[in-house]
Amino acid sequence: MSDTINFIIDGVEIQGREGQTILEAAEAAGIYIPRLCHLKGLTPHGSCRVCTVLVNGRPQASCTQPVAEGIVVESESERVQQIRRDIIDMLFVEGNHFCMFCEKSGNCELQAMAYRFGIPTPKFPYQFPKRGVDASHPDIFVDHNRCILCGRCVRASRDLDGKHVFDFVDRGPHKRVAVNAEARLADTNLDASDKATEVCPVGAILRKRVGYAVPVGKRLYDEKPIGSDIEAAKTK
Amino acid sequence: MVATNGMKRIVIEPVTRVEGHGKVTILLDEKKQVQQARLHIVEFRGFERFIQGRPFWEVPVLVQRLCGICPVSHHLAAAKAMDWIVGGEKLTPTAEKMRRLMHYGQFFQSHALHFFHLASPDLLFGKPGDPLSGFAADVAIRNVIGVAAKFPDLAVQGVMMRKYGQEVILRTAGKKIHGTGAIPGGINKNLSITERDFLLKDIDQMVEWSRSAVKIAKDYTVEHLEKLAPFGSFDSNHLSLIREDGAMDIYHGNLRAIDSVGKKIFDQVDYQRYLDYIGEEVRPWSYMKFPFIRSLGPEKGWYRVGPLARVNTADFIDTPEAEAARKEFMAVTKGKPNNISMAYHWARMIELLHSIERIKELLHDKDLQGTDLVAKGERRDEGVGLLEAPRGTLFHHYRVNKDDQVVMANLIVSTTSNNEPMNRAVAKVAKDHLSGVEITEGLLNHVEVAIRAYDPCLSCATHALGQMPLTVELVDHEGNLVSTRSKN
Ligand code: SF4
Ligand code: NI
């Protein structure tokens, strides 16, 4: 077909299609590129940088970078892995992530990513930022301590729910997710059935009173590492 | 928004602060006679502040960070309090029995660990007819390695029993430490047939070893009764939960307090109203609060908790072997409460046997494979959860706001209740064994043995090493430090 685009990931020839990102084309070929801010169904954001690859030797976010004829992509090399490891590391120390009592533990993409990369404890110093929680909504609990600023909730609310419940405010190290109201989530038009309530990769947006209802051993990443579903497609 | 700026504290402090060591101050009067003893334990109360603002369903898991030694007890006590918040305090049979199984597992491993790893060196190395000589025996052999060398079977049993308890915890809480099994109003898993059969495999061996542990503790106590009876002993009140029919029940019941001769101070008190019966006194020299029975006041109202208190308060134990053992125990004091500090060890082993009998019974109960796991009812904004932890009655009390956030927490841990009793035990030992104004090696060891009978939860290090880092100071009536001695 004319719109087929041939390129190479880690020495393997891949056929992509016009308009696909590197991440999508790789995934279609059964190659998992780690990602946190990216979620199927949401517009690519390119903010977390965990999906960094080298395209012809230059670092690019594979979730936003379109495929192009003849490019050479490096994804699993030690150099790229080290970049990703450092990013994950930084995400941990920039927030207050205490997996041992977080109800998202076992279902958390950030934690699962750390396991996949074999990071037992971060090498950078913890920042222990001062952040708050918002418990005002009857069904949804927000814990900013665990937010990694992936923007999934912002995009889901805007693009899928047709609302504008969440948005980023402030810049640099002060950047945070805020709600589109005076101060509290309860004052927004967020509904418990909104898509925005389901997309958080970490334990920052939670359905209330669920907690640890799913036991250890039965959680998403208890048995298989994150990304293994995509990789399994390849072996078939 | 509610700030949770205490976040930093929780990861650092519960770990570092429980790892302190015990410090004892013995105060002398003008005539250089022992007047009082004070055991200083750094207790972590910052926790009560830290959980302000956290969602209530997180608490049973979060609270386990409080203590590395008895996380399951905190997990279950908090869950019991949260049952009230969600109106699910009438648990389904599966939930209640799974939680009980978890609790008995924790009991079993904790008591086994204490007896075989911490207490047995004290009990096994005395010269014939002189148990106290064992307390002063060469420190080089008076530890768990010494036990392993001289009594290899016992050391192995200790390890295997502890491991068995942990296997029970794993299959009920989901993890050996810091599990998530108990949730507000119930439990998040049942026991699969595979899990059940795994635990049934070794159960008879465990019962048999528990039986022999009771015998070791009993023989030791009875044989040396004359010398042991006065050691660190004193009369006191005793407090525990009790089942409605007066049976020992370490998971659930009402409060009963008796005095030193067995007269009831109160009985079958609904623990949701514990504050009407128990007060907490603050003393200037300690971070720890001193709980007391209100009707008796702070001076006379202190009480003992833990194995000795429970065996004393119970009318009976409803598992046959432990009940037979209890009768033998009570016969020593002719049916009256036993006030001998060193009898804690024997009482603890009776409970060890009771918990393994219960585990066996539960494993044969089909309810554990039930699928109705959570109960719910009318939401409340306040809940109290009590249970009998291995070391004694544990109180958890929370209030939550309409947004589901914790706004108040009050915890009374067993070591806090036993604070004054341990002071008395040390004072007694010091009175009997202090000669002159110098703290000898022997006195230091005696103090340690007396404290250890109460199995205080001082630190994880204590358990890991089988030794208690301890400093004893002697202070005269003018407040001058006269003598001090430490050991690690
Ligand atoms: S709250 Fe969750 S979904 Fe929203 S930006 Fe933070 S981490 Fe991403
Ligand atoms: Ni403890």
Side-chain angles (χ1 to χ4, degrees):
Chain A
M1 265 187 343
S2 60
D3 65 350
T4 298
I5 292 175
N6 299 295
F7 70 105
I8 289 175
I9 298 183
D10 293 331
V12 181
E13 270 185 48
I14 306 283
Q15 272 82 51
R17 278 180 291 106
E18 182 76 52
Q20 267 185 330
T21 62
I22 295 174
L23 184 138
E24 285 166 343
E27 183 162 333
I31 296 171
Y32 173 72
I33 300 178
R35 80 291 301 265
L36 284 173
C37 73
H38 180 76
L39 185 68
K40 226 176 256 168
L42 295 179
T43 22
H45 199 234
S47 62
C48 78
R49 301 278 149 178
V50 171
C51 69
T52 296
V53 292
L54 297 183
V55 180
N56 296 338
R58 289 187 47 208
Q60 300 282 2
S62 65
C63 75
T64 50
Q65 188 69 22
V67 290
E69 189 65 33
I71 53 170
V72 177
V73 178
E74 226 181 90
S75 177
E76 291 292 300
S77 67
E78 185 43 42
R79 181 165 163 222
V80 177
Q81 295 293 74
Q82 192 52 50
I83 294 172
R84 292 176 184 160
R85 218 174 278 138
D86 286 351
I87 291 167
I88 294 159
D89 226 305
M90 283 187 270
L91 288 174
F92 265 102
V93 302
E94 280 166 11
N96 297 309
H97 299 278
F98 299 106
C99 305
M100 58 282 205
F101 62 78
C102 177
E103 63 187 88
K104 191 81 173 189
S105 210
N107 288 330
C108 173
E109 294 181 37
L110 178 64
Q111 182 194 42
M113 209 57 86
Y115 281 130
R116 185 176 169 108
F117 281 87
I119 303 170
T121 44
K123 64 177 181 189
F124 301 120
Y126 284 104
Q127 306 292 302
F128 295 118
K130 267 197 169 184
R131 298 198 197 155
V133 302
D134 184 339
S136 63
H137 195 280
D139 301 306
I140 302 295
F141 182 82
V142 177
D143 188 342
H144 293 284
N145 288 291
R146 302 165 183 159
C147 176
I148 57 169
L149 303 172
C150 70
R152 283 191 192 175
C153 57
V154 177
R155 286 172 282 154
S157 182
R158 186 188 61 208
D159 303 341
L160 304 180
D161 301 327
K163 299 181 183 178
H164 194 115
V165 174
F166 300 101
D167 212 343
F168 288 122
V169 294
D170 296 340
R171 303 202 155 266
H174 302 292
K175 185 171 169 182
R176 64 195 165 86
V177 159
V179 298
N180 186 17
E182 279 293 284
R184 307 176 332 141
L185 194 62
D187 304 325
T188 69
N189 57 350
L190 180 78
D191 195 87
S193 62
D194 284 359
K195 284 277 178 291
T197 63
E198 289 165 14
V199 294
C200 184
V202 292
I205 299 180
L206 297 161
R207 204 157 294 275
K208 276 190 170 182
R209 298 173 292 275
V210 173
Y212 308 89
V214 177
V216 176
K218 292 243 155 51
R219 293 179 163 238
L220 267 177
Y221 307 115
D222 281 346
E223 301 277 315
K224 289 187 183 141
I226 189 165
S228 53
D229 48 338
I230 291 169
E231 288 161 338
K234 184 186 182 179
T235 47
K236 268 179 203 153
Chain B
M1 289 195 204
V2 179
T4 52
N5 52 11
M7 186 61 84
K8 199 166 170 178
R9 307 179 67 94
I10 191 66
V11 277
I12 314 227
E13 299 218 278
V15 184
T16 50
R17 294 193 64 183
V18 291
E19 282 174 5
H21 67 296
K23 190 172 102 173
V24 171
T25 309
I26 297 167
L27 303 171
L28 301 178
D29 62 15
E30 285 155 42
K31 297 196 183 97
K32 298 208 173 9
Q33 297 301 305
V34 174
Q35 192 209 14
Q36 213 189 72
R38 293 168 176 177
L39 170 62
H40 308 262
I41 300 170
V42 186
E43 191 200 23
F44 180 64
R45 287 192 85 100
F47 178 81
E48 275 121 318
R49 250 169 297 126
F50 167 74
I51 60 166
Q52 305 282 326
R54 300 306 310 172
F56 73 79
W57 55 88
E58 193 181 68
V59 175
V61 172
L62 176 52
V63 77
Q64 298 179 87
R65 312 305 301 174
L66 197 61
C67 173
I69 298 170
C70 17
V72 175
S73 301
H74 287 295
H75 179 55
L76 288 170
K80 288 183 83 177
M82 296 315 167
D83 292 345
W84 279 82
I85 302 291
V86 300
E89 71 279 1
K90 293 239 165 356
L91 296 178
T92 68
T94 305
E96 159 142 9
K97 285 171 187 176
M98 281 296 285
R99 283 197 193 174
R100 280 183 177 273
L101 185 60
M102 190 194 305
H103 190 47
Y104 293 122
Q106 149 90 346
F107 235 80
F108 189 70
Q109 76 94 13
S110 177
H111 278 6
L113 176 70
H114 183 267
F115 187 72
F116 289 97
H117 288 231
L118 296 178
S120 69
D122 296 340
L123 313 187
L124 295 173
F125 290 112
K127 297 191 197 85
D130 184 8
L132 303 199
S133 67
F135 307 166
D138 189 355
V139 201
I141 60 155
R142 200 169 59 89
N143 58 34
V144 66
I145 299 156
V147 173
K150 202 166 162 200
F151 309 91
D153 290 354
L154 276 191
V156 170
Q157 284 175 24
V159 171
M160 300 299 284
M161 288 165 89
R162 173 148 193 255
K163 184 150 180 300
Y164 186 83
Q166 289 172 330
E167 298 291 353
V168 174
I169 295 169
L170 170 66
R171 283 162 185 79
T172 46
K175 282 160 88 180
K176 281 182 185 165
I177 42 161
H178 303 135
T180 64
I183 58 177
I187 194 89
N188 67 13
K189 75 185 286 291
N190 64 9
L191 194 75
S192 72
I193 299 285
T194 324
E195 290 171 323
R196 181 198 67 187
D197 292 346
F198 178 89
L199 294 174
L200 276 173
K201 207 163 34 84
D202 294 328
I203 187 77
D204 290 325
Q205 181 67 77
M206 294 301 144
V207 174
E208 194 189 311
W209 285 345
S210 304
R211 219 176 266 147
S212 74
V214 173
K215 188 171 179 329
I216 294 170
K218 181 189 101 180
D219 290 351
Y220 170 79
T221 316
V222 172
E223 189 180 327
H224 305 295
L225 194 60
E226 209 180 310
K227 290 240 165 78
L228 287 181
F231 184 83
S233 292
F234 50 88
D235 286 350
S236 81
N237 307 311
H238 301 269
L239 177 126
S240 82
L241 290 177
I242 202 86
R243 206 166 71 183
E244 260 157 35
D245 60 358
M248 174 186 280
D249 191 339
I250 58 176
Y251 176 74
H252 193 64
N254 297 313
L255 282 166
R256 171 182 284 181
I258 59 170
D259 68 12
S260 62
V261 292
K263 203 163 91 1
K264 292 194 176 78
I265 303 164
F266 54 71
D267 196 14
Q268 299 298 345
V269 166
D270 175 1
Y271 63 65
Q272 295 301 318
R273 293 169 50 224
Y274 79 100
L275 279 176
D276 296 343
Y277 294 84
I278 305 288
E280 283 185 277
E281 190 201 7
V282 182
R283 294 185 194 174
W285 50 270
S286 178
Y287 290 117
M288 227 193 236
K289 289 191 191 170
F290 289 79
F292 63 92
I293 294 164
R294 282 192 191 278
S295 63
L296 301 178
E299 273 297 303
K300 295 213 163 83
W302 54 276
Y303 53 87
R304 276 188 272 202
V305 297
L308 183 70
R310 286 187 289 249
V311 174
N312 280 334
T313 53
D315 298 335
F316 66 101
I317 300 178
D318 73 340
T319 55
E321 295 199 42
E323 171 61 5
R326 186 196 69 89
K327 285 196 175 126
E328 289 184 327
F329 181 93
M330 295 312 290
V332 170
T333 47
K334 310 205 161 46
K336 292 284 173 200
N338 184 320
N339 287 289
I340 303 169
S341 283
M342 289 302 284
Y344 260 94
H345 296 293
W346 183 4
R348 194 171 286 118
M349 288 306 95
I350 294 171
E351 292 187 337
L352 177 91
L353 183 56
H354 172 57
S355 51
I356 199 69
E357 283 185 286
R358 265 274 184 276
I359 290 173
K360 184 171 177 178
E361 209 178 280
L362 280 167
L363 289 176
H364 289 290
D365 191 325
K366 295 262 179 298
D367 280 345
L368 284 178
Q369 280 79 50
T371 50
D372 193 2
L373 304 182
V374 183
K376 269 203 181 79
E378 203 181 320
R379 168 81 149 72
R380 299 190 186 91
D381 58 10
E382 188 164 4
V384 179
L386 259 71
L387 55 69
E388 288 296 326
R391 295 168 178 79
T393 318
L394 174 62
F395 301 66
H396 277 221
H397 178 195
Y398 303 95
R399 245 178 246 130
V400 300
N401 63 17
K402 66 165 188 28
D403 289 340
D404 298 330
Q405 295 172 284
V406 174
V407 290
M408 190 284 299
N410 188 44
L411 273 55
I412 307 176
V413 302
S414 18
T415 302
T416 308
S417 288
N418 271 341
N419 197 356
E420 184 58 26
M422 285 189 285
N423 289 343
R424 302 278 167 151
V426 172
K428 178 68 174 17
V429 166
K431 270 182 194 138
D432 293 348
H433 299 276
L434 177 73
S435 52
V437 288
E438 203 210 331
I439 297 170
T440 59
E441 181 83 36
L443 180 67
L444 182 71
N445 287 337
H446 280 44
V447 166
E448 186 191 6
V449 169
I451 295 173
R452 185 146 49 220
Y454 289 80
D455 187 16
C457 182
L458 284 187
S459 77
C460 312
T462 311
H463 275 197
L465 300 175
Q467 287 184 351
M468 181 164 60
L470 185 68
T471 299
V472 180
E473 307 177 334
L474 204 56
V475 173
D476 70 12
H477 66 286
E478 287 169 323
N480 305 310
L481 184 65
V482 201
S483 171
T484 176
R485 189 180 279 264
S486 303
K487 62 170 296 223
N488 298 305

